[in-house]
């Protein structure tokens, strides 16, 4: 979501406003009429795009998990295809940058995941977990290239800990109360690398 530069489609507009409203007031605290009003269409008009609120929630949570994994795979592939070969340090930095973009630009989705994941039907929730596991394992592989002495369980714990750090952005304060985006991104990046260095024994 955060990486798009072209104009969003109506479907994407609906999802963005649904995520914001669900995060602010909870899934059951928002009606389809309110979501429709936020994008300038009638509540019933939403049913031309989605079967209902449950479908919106599923697309939001499955969608962002898939986007994170796809983006991470792309970053690794780009590094692998570089003229100098794979540089694990650069790959790790790129993965951190990608997750920071998500954490800063899609904060409502973090809140939504924390609060509403259990509302998904079993098949969608399992898909989210499957995508997340693949995302974690990709990070673990890269992290162990940077710190070869780091055991796999410790690397996995470190990755989860850094995700917890980066995904804390909804709790850092209201938009506008933080330093500029660039300053915040740099701070998060330094903290993530510091956490990984500590786990790697450096």
């Amino acid at each position: 979501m955060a990486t798009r530069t072209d104009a969003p489609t109506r479907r994407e507009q609906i999802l963005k406003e649904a995520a914001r409203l669900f995060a602010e007031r909870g899934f059951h605290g928002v009606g389809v009429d309110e979501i429709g009003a936020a994008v300038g269409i009638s509540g019933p008009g939403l049913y031309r795009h989605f079967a209902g609120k449950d479908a919106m929630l599923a697309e939001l949570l499955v969608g962002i998990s898939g986007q994170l994994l796809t983006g991470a795979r792309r970053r690794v592939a780009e590094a692998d295809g570089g003229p100098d070969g794979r540089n694990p340090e650069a790959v790790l930095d790129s993965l951190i940058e990608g997750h920071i973009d998500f954490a800063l630009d899609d904060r409502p989705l973090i809140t939504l995941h924390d609060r509403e994941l259990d509302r998904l039907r079993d098949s969608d929730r399992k898909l989210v977990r499957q995508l997340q596991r693949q995302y974690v394992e990709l990070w673990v592989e890269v992290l162990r290239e940077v710190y070869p002495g780091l055991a796999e369980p410790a690397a996995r714990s470190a990755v989860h800990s850094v995700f917890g750090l980066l995904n804390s952005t909804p709790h850092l304060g209201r938009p506008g109360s933080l330093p500029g985006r660039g300053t915040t991104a740099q701070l998060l990046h330094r903290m993530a690398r510091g956490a990984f260095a500590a786990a790697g024994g450096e």
Side-chain angles (χ1 to χ4, degrees):
M1 290 185 179
T3 59
R4 288 184 62 96
T5 56
D6 51 335
T9 65
R10 175 51 61 92
R11 188 180 182 87
E12 289 169 334
Q13 291 173 344
I14 292 169
L15 286 172
K16 180 178 179 180
E17 291 304 316
R20 179 182 64 81
L21 291 168
F22 291 159
E24 288 177 357
R25 293 160 49 191
F27 181 74
H28 287 306
V30 179
V32 292
D33 289 339
E34 295 165 277
I35 298 171
V39 294
I41 62 177
S42 67
L46 289 179
Y47 293 107
R48 291 196 297 270
H49 301 277
F50 297 96
K53 288 198 307 176
D54 290 338
M56 293 180 209
L57 181 64
E59 185 154 336
L60 283 165
L61 295 183
V62 173
I64 192 56
S65 297
Q67 288 174 45
L68 283 169
L69 177 59
T70 298
R73 285 174 170 167
R74 185 186 67 248
R75 288 171 180 270
V76 170
E78 288 171 353
D80 287 346
D84 300 322
R86 179 160 170 156
N87 179 340
E89 295 272 1
V91 178
L92 182 59
D93 281 331
S94 183
L95 289 176
I96 293 171
E97 288 166 7
H99 199 98
I100 287 173
D101 284 343
F102 158 67
L104 291 177
D105 297 338
D106 289 314
R107 286 196 269 175
L109 289 175
I110 297 174
T111 301
L112 200 59
H113 179 278
D114 290 345
R115 292 180 183 170
E116 312 290 358
L117 180 63
D118 287 344
R119 297 191 188 280
L120 295 182
R121 61 183 182 181
D122 287 346
S123 59
D124 288 328
R125 188 168 57 252
K126 288 177 181 177
L127 179 55
V128 168
R129 294 302 192 194
Q130 178 185 14
L131 293 167
Q132 290 175 340
R133 282 194 298 271
Q134 293 177 52
Y135 185 59
V136 168
E137 294 310 309
L138 187 151
W139 279 67
V140 168
E141 179 183 345
V142 173
L143 184 60
R144 295 187 71 207
E145 290 182 34
V146 176
Y147 302 105
L150 188 61
E152 187 173 310
R156 192 170 293 108
S157 294
V159 168
H160 281 293
S161 296
V162 166
F163 286 172
L165 165 68
L166 300 181
N167 291 347
S168 69
T169 51
H171 310 293
L172 296 181
R174 295 181 179 180
S177 66
L178 298 174
R181 188 190 187 285
T183 301
T184 302
Q186 290 173 7
L187 174 61
L188 290 171
H189 197 121
R190 288 197 302 271
M191 293 174 71
R193 284 306 304 254
F196 285 142
E202 294 188 359

